[in-house]
């Protein structure tokens, strides 16, 4: 395991070697790195603040999806101005209409040092995304939940759902009641295991009455896959509830009837949030973007009693920052395989 608490954050140039070789970091390479939840939250928050300051670039993602919807692919390019890193992320998922065990998912992140012009590494981005997304949800909950919020409901037990509660407790340790709605026994067991691994003294309540649970929750986080039977309607929610959409599990009414709408990126929401359109095919406008809220340049929750909808689509600058941190830690240990790609 690697100590991640160093105060030094070397830039990409400290790792790049030459202009012909690319260091490949596999799934197992990345999996062997120890990093705390608070460290992940800190890296992600810094990436958002840097973007809001205009020091980073995060263009809108490109999407390719066939008419029958059996697969989806994304391409994302970005630049982290603090780390001096340019990166390209790709994501491809096949079998969207199949059960989880029949789906195929591949995602990579390729990092380049923008100070030296040399390649840093290409890594499997699965763990980066699995950590980055719930960290963003936890930051949304920290900034947007109503004052005195004490209960949270997580919908879904897949990759994104399994670390949602540990990250949520990292930013909101005052939460008292933790609820989970899921339909996969293995997933429910995995959620419990992850919670106990990080917070051994906390328990999660598995709920079957989704409407009642949603009505009790101050924070609702929808992380389920597209085949979920869950669909929380706006009328089920508390007047001041925060609903965070990561995957699926809440109905379009939670967006359209919200008092305020916050998105990590309004442009990306228009690309990936089309399933939340109303009957006329329209999406509601975003009131504020989250990087601006974090930086204090815009308002998140304007009034205590507002019902807020937050859209967590993920920004590539957060993948770049966290992926670069993983690359730093991995390469310090000599992990990965050097491939003479450009010889």
């Amino acid at each position: 395991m690697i100590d991640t608490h160093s105060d030094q954050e070397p830039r990409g140039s400290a790792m790049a070697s030459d202009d012909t070789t690319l260091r490949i970091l596999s799934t197992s390479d990345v999996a062997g790195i120890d990093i705390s939840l608070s460290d992940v939250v800190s890296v992600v928050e810094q990436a958002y603040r840097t973007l809001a300051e205009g020091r980073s670039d995060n263009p809108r993602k490109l999407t390719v999806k066939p008419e029958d919807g059996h697969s989806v692919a994304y391409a994302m390019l970005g630049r982290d101005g603090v780390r001096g890193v340019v990166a390209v992320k790709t994501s491809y998922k096949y079998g969207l209409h199949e059960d989880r065990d029949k789906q195929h998912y591949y995602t990579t992140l390729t990092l380049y040092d923008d100070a030296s012009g040399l390649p840093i590494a290409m890594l499997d981005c699965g763990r980066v995304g699995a950590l980055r997304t719930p960290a963003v949800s936890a930051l949304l909950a920290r900034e947007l939940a109503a004052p005195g919020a004490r209960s949270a409901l997580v919908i879904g037990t897949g990759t994104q759902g399994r670390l949602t509660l540990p990250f949520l407790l990292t930013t909101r340790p005052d939460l008292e009641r933790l609820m989970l709605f899921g339909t996969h026994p293995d997933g429910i067991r995995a959620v419990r295991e992850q919670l106990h691994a990080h917070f051994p003294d906390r328990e999660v309540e598995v709920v079957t009455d989704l409407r009642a649970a949603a009505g009790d929750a101050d924070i609702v986080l929808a992380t389920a896959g597209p085949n979920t039977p869950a669909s929380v309607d706006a009328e089920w929610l508390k007047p001041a509830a925060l609903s965070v959409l990561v995957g699926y599990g809440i109905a379009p009414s939670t967006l359209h009837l919200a008092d305020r709408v916050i998105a990590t990126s309004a442009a990306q929401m228009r690309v990936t949030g089309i399933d939340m359109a109303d009957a006329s095919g329209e999406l509601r406008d975003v009131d504020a973007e989250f990087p601006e809220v974090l930086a204090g340049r815009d308002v998140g929750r304007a009034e205590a009693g507002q019902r807020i909808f937050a859209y967590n689509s993920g920004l590539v600058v957060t993948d770049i920052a966290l992926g670069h941190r993983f690359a730093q830690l991995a390469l310090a240990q000599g992990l990965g395989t050097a491939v003479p790609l450009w010889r």
Side-chain angles (χ1 to χ4, degrees):
M1 296 297 184
I2 301 168
D3 180 10
T4 63
H5 297 281
S6 170
D7 292 329
Q8 304 212 348
E9 287 283 334
R11 292 165 69 90
S13 56
M15 299 182 291
S17 55
D18 61 64
D19 61 358
T20 64
T21 302
L22 181 64
R23 176 73 56 169
I24 306 296
L25 300 173
S26 68
T27 302
S28 57
D29 291 328
V30 178
I33 299 170
D34 185 27
I35 187 167
S36 71
L37 301 186
S38 59
D39 287 342
V40 174
V41 170
S42 178
V43 169
V44 170
E45 183 171 4
Q46 181 192 52
Y48 272 133
R49 291 182 181 276
T50 303
L51 180 63
E53 293 166 2
R55 300 167 67 188
S56 295
D57 298 293
N58 194 102
R60 189 173 70 178
K61 68 174 66 175
L62 299 176
T63 307
V64 174
K65 191 173 185 179
E67 290 185 4
D68 65 0
H70 74 268
S71 69
V72 64
Y74 299 110
M76 293 147 278
L77 170 69
R79 182 181 186 276
D80 186 308
V82 167
R83 293 173 173 267
V85 173
V86 170
V88 179
K89 178 183 177 182
T90 63
S91 175
Y92 172 65
K93 180 175 283 189
Y94 177 87
L96 297 183
H97 302 317
E98 302 288 343
D99 292 336
R100 189 179 301 159
D101 59 353
K102 295 181 180 179
Q103 294 180 355
H104 299 280
Y105 179 56
Y106 310 97
T107 179
T108 62
L109 182 70
T110 307
L111 301 155
Y112 300 91
D113 179 358
D114 200 34
S116 68
L118 298 179
I120 298 172
M122 173 185 282
L123 62 148
D124 168 45
C125 203
R127 189 179 179 207
V128 171
L131 292 171
R132 174 263 288 159
T133 302
V136 173
S137 292
L139 285 168
L140 288 165
R142 188 190 74 187
E143 299 295 323
L144 302 178
R150 291 293 181 269
S151 58
L153 167 65
V154 175
I155 301 170
T157 61
T159 300
Q160 298 304 331
R162 295 177 187 186
L163 276 171
T164 296
L165 288 174
F167 271 108
L168 192 57
L169 288 174
T170 299
T171 64
R172 297 297 308 244
D174 53 343
L175 290 174
E176 298 171 354
R177 186 182 181 192
L178 308 175
M179 295 175 281
L180 173 69
F181 178 86
T183 57
H184 297 273
D186 290 344
I188 293 172
R189 183 163 48 253
V191 170
R192 282 200 170 108
E193 290 173 353
Q194 289 289 347
L195 178 61
H196 291 159
H198 295 280
F199 294 91
D201 59 335
R202 299 303 304 267
E203 296 293 336
V204 60
E205 174 188 348
V206 178
V207 300
T208 55
D209 188 335
L210 183 59
R211 180 166 189 162
D216 289 340
D218 297 305
I219 304 169
V220 177
L221 302 107
T223 74
N227 297 326
T228 181
S231 183
V232 171
D233 195 78
E235 67 177 18
W236 301 1
L237 299 172
K238 285 185 173 183
L242 166 66
S243 54
V244 179
L245 181 61
V246 178
Y248 300 83
I250 56 179
S253 60
T254 58
L255 164 65
H256 295 281
L257 297 180
D259 297 308
R260 195 159 174 80
V261 175
I262 312 296
T264 48
S265 167
Q268 288 194 10
M269 179 173 160
R270 286 193 291 270
V271 173
T272 60
I274 55 175
D275 56 300
M276 296 295 284
D278 63 15
S280 62
E282 298 295 325
L283 281 174
R284 176 173 162 179
D285 289 338
V286 169
D287 295 300
E289 292 189 310
F290 190 55
E292 299 295 311
V293 173
L294 262 183
R297 298 169 182 265
D298 210 334
V299 177
R301 178 176 289 273
E303 298 177 6
Q306 287 183 324
R307 185 177 290 167
I308 294 181
F309 174 93
Y311 189 79
N312 178 1
S313 62
L315 298 183
V316 74
V317 289
T318 59
D319 294 290
I320 293 172
L322 190 55
H324 182 249
R325 182 62 177 142
F326 271 110
Q328 290 175 323
L329 298 170
L331 298 180
Q333 290 287 302
L335 298 174
T337 303
V339 177
L341 185 63
W342 295 288
R343 286 184 187 172

